[in-house]
Amino acid sequence: MTYFGAMLKEWSCPAKCMRDRLLPTLVCLIMLTSLAPTASAMGPADSSIWGLSYDWAHFEGDVQNMTGVDTNAANEDLEEAAEYAGFTLETDQVLSGSSHFYVESWDESDIVEIQDIHGVTHQVSKRVTELTIRHGLLADAGFTMAWNDDSESIDVWYSASQEIVLVVDATYTEYVDSDMMVYGADLEMTGEVSDSADLSMNLQIIAAGEVEAPEIDLGYSLSMEIPSLVSQWRVDEPMDYLYDLIEPAGSDDGEDEGDDGECYLVPKDYIAPEDGWFYGSSGEEYWVEGGEDMFPEDGTFCPDGDGRDASGIIEGTYSTLTGYSLSVGMNGLPAEEFGINLDVFNVQLSDSVPGQGTFSDDFEMGSGAIWDWECPPIGGTESLTIDNVTTEVQCGLAPPISPGMAFMMGYSMIPAFDNGVSELSSVMQQQVESWIGEISGEEEGGVFVCDSGEEIPADWENDGEVDCSDGSDESDSSDTFTCDNGEVIPADWENDGEEDCSDGSDENEGPSEDVFEKYINMFEALNNSNLPKTMEAFGEKLGELVEDNVPSEPVMDLEDSCAILFWNTDESRVVGMAILNDGDGDDSSEVLLGPSIFGVREHNVDLNLEYHDGDDARDVKAGILGLTELREIAPESKHDVEELYNILGPEFLPDLDQTDTDQDGILDFFDEDDDGDGLFDWQDDDPLTPFRSPGDEEEDSVPGPGALAIVSILGAAAILIPRRDE
Amino acid sequence: MQTKEKAALALTSFLLLMAWSGTWFEISATGTYTEGLERNPTITTEYIIDASQESFEMSIENATPLLLYWIEREDVTVNAEETGNGSTNDKPSSEGPGETVEGGCQDSCLDQARGAVQVVMIALLASLCLSYVRPSIYLRTGVLVVWLIGSVVIVTAVPIAAAYDFGVTGAEGSEGSSTGGFDTATQDNSVSVNQFAHFEQSEDAKVRLSGIAFYFDSVGFDLGLLDEGDRQGVVDQKPSPGDPGYESLIRFHGELEVGPGEILTWWVFTSPVLILNLLGSRSQKLEEE
């Protein structure tokens, strides 16, 4: 520190010593930078921010709150009905994870210059929108069933799991002039989406003295990662969609007419039932979607507002990583009876396809806002309280993010997505075509070469008609059999009990009649047992129990729900949203989800779907920005599968870690507080070490140095050592 | 029977039990398309036989280009063989390969091999027990003979039985595969040698402690990837990089290791007990003399 103090005192030295100070200055800057938070993707403190968060652990409770159906009671009903019918059934399902959707936007005052596609320079300012999406879901379900009669029995063990993750970070910078006319935008985004699932089923059937115990495992995984996507949109002529959010309500009867305001009266007779061209009075052509929605009776057609317009050019670059994995495992299938000498069979296909590329395309977009959309008692202008400040907002329907951002994301992701999946879709398409060809009996492109050298379609061979000039397409033999390896033998040698093809394909090794007889006997034995009566009794009892569980009238009538968005006309941006529902049947809705609206009541149903705005939303966003992995968004410690484990047994978690850190008798895997320090694992920075008192913590409270800090310290040391030598 | 003989019997029983419950025969193979397909698709297979079951595992990494290759390539050998072989009503005089299988085993050859292994294990234990109860040089030599027979059964009978059950008997008529037969068990439409122009292959084998390793390399121009009109040009003149038809070049490298599995290791572990038994008989004989 002494060195840096001295360096500051010498700050006013002449220019000749600036070169000597360059390195120390850089090191100081690096050291200062290292103190700054690494996740600096937050907007300014006065930005407009709102969003939604949901903890999926509350899903069953929320379903009960909204519908009155208790899923746990439904499970109990199933088990009770099974017990009544005379067999055992245990089932459970677990869902956990979280979802977050946040939109933050702000204006920057700096004036910058950009060029439109004609090369004309415009002076504009930046409007930045950040979209942050985090969605992680863990789902497990399973059941066991055991039924037995005197000599027949069926045991089923079933387990299924699914994991889903979606991570999107997009920053959109829109260039606007003082009249909110848009001249283009830049988009930078990263994202990842993946979905994987596994299904296992073990079955044991004993009937007619036979035992069948197949085990089947199926799994898939699909993922797409976009490590980088950058695109730029520049307009042909300025776009006015932000201006739509400034216009006072009621100025155009709720219709967006576009900036030229030219509309055409469309009589009902003119309504086209299908999509087609609409010809304007001056001969212009517009591609419009048909139907009465587009041209209502005595309606008008306003080309700029209702259709998509050419709005410039978009170009960009992307890199992607698309992966998939498919697995099939089978054990204990009666394969040998079907001529397959295998007992255990596992096949896995996987691929990870890297892709990168550029794109350039005409950019067409549509926009519009509906001003006169109401959710009584909300409509027109309302007062919201955000961070204890009352803000006047316009109610209606408008895109929650800038339309330019939505269209840019769409235009940019399509080529990235196409690149990632084109190879795979090609495989699937060709395979499906091949299957269709096989099913329809069409031969694909095969040719038969006559002895004379002529070529004819393969399916003309032996069709009863001579097609080759030498007649060689019609075999002398009445019929032939073509082996899998291409050899040709007389047809009557097929299935004659002797292998004539070198690959043995002339002898059909299909299952013998004894095998089918075995399964028919098993089926008949089960049918003659008390199984049918048991299932009948189960169904009847379940019907009774479920009837008690389901309320005669739903707790909430979802049809009475209404969504509405709020925008600030001064800023031309959406600043929040709400979902309303009439909970008490007084024809006036209450706020089910949304901000505090002056004069409007909260709904009596308490959902765990959280709406945040202002500083609350900023805090949530800061907390989720660093979460990029599934296990971070959906912590395993919150996924309580202990009851499912009790039902399915060790086979459900064959590699279960037996560690019990706090020795409380609950294994860490099932324990929400592994170290027993009173903090839940998902809130605990170190879930395996008990929380220390502040006094103890002071001893090691010096924050660990980051990579940047280490570099700067090494740099400082490199500077100091030569000085000491001097 | 002395205590040390009881201990030797117990140890032998334990080792035979371990041998019985371990893997009996393993084939593991890895094949990579090193040229011609994007991202070098790799097929990994493992075939394991143990006392109760046969298991097969296969995984294909970077599978998409390989699936596309399998789907897109046209089998150009079918018509050629149809016209070349023609059809004939004369029944071949030689027995087909399937008949050999039928004639060789009543049911499953592998089950019979399992039975043979079971018999030699029981025979080994019984002869050892007998040699302790009634010590004689003949009985003790008999133990060694049983052990040697068992070794032969484990090393040869199990793999041969598996090969018969699979129909992999090296029968005549096999036209070969561009992947050395590597993928014949994985998909019906294996890539045959006749499909390729300028086909070259090389094979090598090495004996390792764990078994025998085979190496296979092949390269050729897959005519099935070319338009029909372009095939003859590739056949007549080997394309160089950049020439039309060069895109059909497929190069494959495969490694296959065949080994007897854990059963042989545990079986070999029984040999010191038997040698001590034999040495004991010699010292006893010397003492008697």
Side-chain angles (χ1 to χ4, degrees):
Chain A
M1 291 302 290
T2 313
Y3 170 73
F4 291 109
M7 195 186 74
L8 288 171
K9 282 171 78 177
E10 290 174 5
W11 193 248
S12 58
C13 79
K16 65 182 177 62
C17 65
M18 284 304 290
R19 193 178 54 186
D20 298 335
R21 285 178 178 166
L22 187 60
L23 186 59
T25 307
L26 280 173
V27 170
C28 275
L29 285 173
I30 292 173
M31 290 179 104
L32 287 171
T33 310
S34 69
L35 299 174
T38 50
S40 56
M42 293 294 295
D46 62 347
S47 65
S48 165
I49 178 169
W50 63 277
L52 308 169
S53 289
Y54 187 65
D55 184 342
W56 287 88
H58 300 298
F59 182 71
E60 287 183 4
D62 285 335
V63 167
Q64 188 176 2
N65 287 343
M66 291 171 68
T67 65
V69 177
D70 183 348
T71 49
N72 285 321
N75 285 346
E76 287 168 11
D77 289 348
L78 277 169
E79 292 170 12
E80 192 181 330
E83 190 179 351
Y84 169 81
F87 67 98
T88 58
L89 175 69
E90 289 184 285
T91 180
D92 192 30
Q93 63 281 328
V94 186
L95 194 64
S96 72
S98 60
S99 300
H100 307 274
F101 173 92
Y102 283 85
V103 180
E104 182 175 19
S105 52
W106 66 91
D107 295 344
E108 292 186 357
S109 55
D110 298 343
I111 302 296
V112 295
E113 290 185 344
I114 64 162
Q115 289 185 329
D116 61 23
I117 60 172
H118 306 293
V120 179
T121 303
H122 302 274
Q123 296 216 324
V124 291
S125 61
K126 293 180 182 176
R127 284 165 63 88
V128 181
T129 304
E130 283 185 357
L131 176 65
T132 307
I133 301 175
R134 298 288 184 276
H135 173 63
L137 198 64
L138 303 177
D140 276 282
F143 72 85
T144 59
M145 193 204 94
W147 164 85
N148 68 290
D149 199 348
D150 293 335
S151 53
E152 279 74 35
S153 71
I154 296 176
D155 288 275
V156 184
W157 183 99
Y158 173 86
S159 162
S161 66
Q162 188 173 25
E163 297 182 351
I164 298 172
V165 66
L166 172 67
V167 175
V168 175
D169 285 300
T171 303
Y172 170 78
T173 306
E174 200 165 50
Y175 299 102
V176 298
D177 67 9
S178 54
D179 293 328
M180 285 294 165
M181 299 300 280
V182 181
Y183 289 81
D186 296 335
L187 175 73
E188 288 179 32
M189 72 172 283
T190 60
E192 180 189 353
V193 58
S194 79
D195 178 9
S196 61
D198 285 295
L199 183 152
S200 301
M201 189 167 82
N202 301 347
L203 188 66
Q204 188 188 63
I205 302 173
I206 300 174
E210 302 280 356
V211 181
E212 288 296 342
E215 296 175 9
I216 299 169
D217 291 285
L218 304 171
Y220 77 83
S221 164
L222 301 168
S223 67
M224 183 169 187
E225 197 179 330
I226 304 176
S228 161
L229 192 156
V230 179
S231 61
Q232 174 183 288
W233 159 47
R234 294 296 179 262
V235 296
D236 182 20
E237 57 184 46
M239 298 289 293
D240 65 347
Y241 57 80
L242 291 177
Y243 186 78
D244 291 348
L245 300 182
I246 303 175
E247 285 182 328
S251 67
D252 60 353
D253 296 329
E255 293 290 333
D256 171 25
E257 295 182 5
D259 63 338
D260 60 4
E262 188 176 8
C263 291
Y264 303 92
L265 280 173
V266 183
K268 190 173 174 58
D269 293 346
Y270 200 86
I271 295 171
E274 296 175 356
D275 298 354
W277 290 103
F278 176 84
Y279 299 98
S281 55
S282 310
E284 322 88 271
E285 296 176 354
Y286 303 102
W287 179 258
V288 295
E289 293 169 7
E292 296 194 6
D293 289 342
M294 178 57 78
F295 297 151
E297 190 171 4
D298 299 328
T300 54
F301 170 54
C302 307
D304 277 349
D306 292 322
R308 279 191 177 192
D309 304 313
S311 317
I313 289 174
I314 184 171
E315 49 193 26
T317 61
Y318 61 83
S319 65
T320 59
L321 188 64
T322 311
Y324 70 87
S325 168
L326 302 169
S327 64
V328 178
M330 294 181 186
N331 187 6
L333 288 176
E336 285 188 15
E337 292 168 3
F338 291 89
I340 302 166
N341 294 312
L342 285 175
D343 302 291
V344 181
F345 183 71
N346 291 307
V347 176
Q348 185 172 12
L349 296 181
S350 65
D351 202 355
S352 186
V353 188
Q356 57 182 6
T358 59
F359 57 90
S360 178
D361 200 359
D362 289 339
F363 189 71
E364 293 180 8
M365 64 172 290
S367 62
I370 300 176
W371 288 78
D372 59 354
W373 180 264
E374 291 184 347
C375 293
I378 295 178
T381 308
E382 297 286 348
S383 297
L384 301 187
T385 306
I386 301 173
D387 290 339
N388 299 320
V389 176
T390 302
T391 308
E392 293 288 315
V393 294
Q394 170 63 41
C395 298
L397 285 184
I401 55 176
S402 168
M405 182 177 194
F407 276 89
M408 272 193 88
M409 287 179 70
Y411 267 87
S412 305
M413 287 171 70
I414 286 170
F417 184 76
D418 276 352
N419 179 275
V421 302
S422 60
E423 207 174 336
L424 184 61
S425 59
S426 175
V427 169
M428 292 173 70
Q429 185 185 342
Q430 292 191 39
Q431 187 61 59
V432 168
E433 282 173 3
S434 162
W435 286 335
I436 291 171
E438 281 175 24
I439 292 167
S440 61
E442 291 173 10
E443 293 284 338
E444 268 188 64
V447 292
F448 174 80
V449 182
C450 311
D451 290 349
S452 60
E454 294 168 70
E455 289 184 359
I456 59 169
D459 54 353
W460 290 8
E461 183 191 359
N462 288 322
D463 63 350
E465 217 171 284
V466 175
D467 303 296
C468 296
S469 56
D470 59 0
S472 57
D473 59 316
E474 296 302 311
S475 168
D476 289 342
S477 169
S478 57
D479 205 355
T480 58
F481 173 81
T482 305
C483 311
D484 287 350
N485 61 9
E487 292 173 52
V488 179
I489 59 169
D492 52 358
W493 290 9
E494 185 189 358
N495 286 326
D496 63 350
E498 209 172 297
E499 289 188 0
D500 304 297
C501 298
S502 58
D503 62 357
S505 56
D506 58 318
E507 293 304 308
N508 183 359
E509 292 181 2
S512 65
E513 286 184 9
D514 292 346
V515 176
F516 289 119
E517 197 175 330
K518 171 184 156 185
Y519 294 114
I520 289 167
N521 289 342
M522 288 178 78
F523 178 76
E524 282 178 356
L526 289 172
N527 206 30
N528 293 332
S529 69
N530 71 13
L531 182 64
K533 284 184 179 174
T534 303
M535 288 298 123
E536 194 179 335
F538 172 70
E540 285 173 5
K541 185 69 179 176
L542 186 62
E544 284 175 27
L545 294 169
V546 166
E547 205 167 305
D548 296 341
N549 185 26
V550 177
S552 54
E553 287 190 11
V555 176
M556 248 179 70
D557 193 348
L558 293 173
E559 287 182 2
D560 290 342
S561 298
C562 175
I564 198 161
L565 285 111
F566 309 110
W567 66 84
N568 186 326
T569 50
D570 293 337
E571 298 178 3
S572 297
R573 68 165 53 95
V574 171
V575 295
M577 64 157 291
I579 294 176
L580 295 103
N581 179 268
D582 182 6
D584 49 17
D586 64 351
D587 295 330
S588 175
S589 298
E590 298 90 47
V591 178
L592 187 66
L593 173 79
S596 172
I597 307 168
F598 183 76
V600 184
R601 287 176 295 145
E602 297 281 317
H603 201 279
N604 55 7
V605 169
D606 190 17
L607 290 183
N608 288 284
L609 182 58
E610 296 170 357
Y611 177 88
H612 296 284
D613 54 21
D615 288 339
D616 285 348
R618 230 178 302 280
D619 290 344
V620 176
K621 184 183 170 184
I624 62 168
L625 267 177
L627 310 180
T628 54
E629 303 293 327
L630 173 66
R631 289 293 182 268
E632 294 171 340
I633 303 166
E636 213 161 27
S637 53
K638 259 186 171 178
H639 193 60
D640 184 7
V641 291
E642 188 170 11
E643 194 177 331
L644 199 55
Y645 179 76
N646 292 336
I647 292 171
L648 297 176
E651 206 172 340
F652 173 54
L653 299 169
D655 304 317
L656 179 63
D657 184 356
Q658 299 292 321
T659 309
D660 180 8
T661 303
D662 57 2
Q663 302 289 312
D664 63 351
I666 304 172
L667 298 180
D668 284 356
F669 188 80
F670 301 126
D671 201 343
E672 293 183 328
D673 179 12
D674 291 356
D675 52 17
D677 62 359
L679 286 174
F680 289 122
D681 289 344
W682 57 89
Q683 298 168 333
D684 198 340
D685 292 335
D686 187 357
L688 296 179
T689 307
F691 178 72
R692 296 183 187 181
S693 67
D696 296 337
E697 202 178 17
E698 278 176 12
E699 291 171 14
D700 55 1
S701 61
V702 177
L708 205 53
I710 291 170
V711 170
S712 59
I713 289 167
L714 289 174
I719 296 162
L720 283 170
I721 289 169
R723 290 285 174 111
R724 289 185 64 181
D725 291 344
E726 286 167 16
Chain B
M1 200 185 298
Q2 294 173 2
T3 311
K4 64 176 183 183
E5 290 170 343
K6 286 179 183 171
L9 263 180
L11 180 63
T12 308
S13 305
F14 169 75
L15 292 171
L16 290 178
L17 198 65
M18 293 303 290
W20 180 263
S21 57
T23 55
W24 288 24
F25 178 64
E26 292 178 358
I27 301 176
S28 55
T30 304
T32 304
Y33 286 81
T34 53
E35 200 168 339
L37 303 183
E38 282 182 36
R39 300 195 300 285
N40 299 343
T42 299
I43 308 171
T44 306
T45 59
E46 191 167 55
Y47 174 65
I48 295 174
I49 294 172
D50 62 24
S52 59
Q53 61 186 20
E54 296 144 78
S55 62
F56 176 76
E57 287 187 19
M58 179 182 76
S59 69
I60 304 179
E61 289 174 32
N62 299 336
T64 322
L66 186 57
L67 296 177
L68 263 178
Y69 171 52
W70 285 344
I71 292 171
E72 283 180 350
R73 65 182 294 281
E74 189 185 331
D75 188 354
V76 300
T77 61
V78 171
N79 287 322
E81 282 170 12
E82 276 181 11
T83 52
N85 292 346
S87 68
T88 169
N89 278 317
D90 299 330
K91 195 98 174 178
S93 56
S94 61
E95 290 181 337
E99 255 184 295
T100 315
V101 176
E102 296 290 327
C105 307
Q106 276 295 332
D107 194 3
S108 158
C109 293
L110 196 58
D111 284 344
Q112 291 185 19
R114 284 192 179 108
V117 171
Q118 196 172 11
V119 166
V120 290
M121 283 185 174
I122 292 169
L124 181 71
L125 207 59
S127 59
L128 190 64
C129 188
L130 204 62
S131 69
Y132 285 140
V133 174
R134 292 181 180 278
S136 84
I137 186 68
Y138 302 110
L139 277 175
R140 285 174 172 173
T141 309
V143 173
L144 201 62
V145 171
V146 172
W147 187 86
L148 286 171
I149 292 170
S151 302
V152 172
V153 169
I154 289 169
V155 172
T156 61
V158 174
I160 289 172
Y164 265 89
D165 277 356
F166 258 107
V168 186
T169 55
E172 71 281 2
S174 171
E175 63 175 22
S177 154
S178 69
T179 55
F182 178 85
D183 55 356
T184 48
T186 63
Q187 49 118 17
D188 293 337
N189 193 19
S190 69
V191 186
S192 78
V193 165
N194 297 341
Q195 179 89 16
F196 287 81
H198 311 289
F199 184 78
E200 293 169 22
Q201 68 178 52
S202 62
E203 294 168 359
D204 193 12
K206 285 179 184 170
V207 178
R208 295 178 181 167
L209 275 177
S210 53
I212 304 170
F214 298 94
Y215 300 89
F216 179 86
D217 287 280
S218 66
V219 63
F221 294 89
D222 191 340
L223 299 175
L225 293 175
L226 298 170
D227 290 337
E228 208 170 335
D230 299 334
R231 289 173 191 160
Q232 195 56 46
V234 172
V235 171
D236 295 341
Q237 177 70 44
K238 185 177 178 179
S240 300
D243 288 350
Y246 189 78
E247 68 279 5
S248 66
L249 181 73
I250 299 289
R251 189 184 295 275
F252 178 82
H253 171 77
E255 293 181 21
L256 184 143
E257 189 169 315
V258 181
E262 294 165 356
I263 188 172
L264 187 66
T265 310
W266 291 108
W267 182 261
V268 170
F269 282 168
T270 61
S271 59
V273 180
L274 310 181
I275 291 167
L276 286 174
N277 180 34
L278 198 64
L279 291 176
S281 75
R282 287 186 67 183
S283 58
Q284 191 180 8
K285 194 177 177 183
L286 287 172
E287 279 172 19
E288 285 171 3
E289 285 172 359

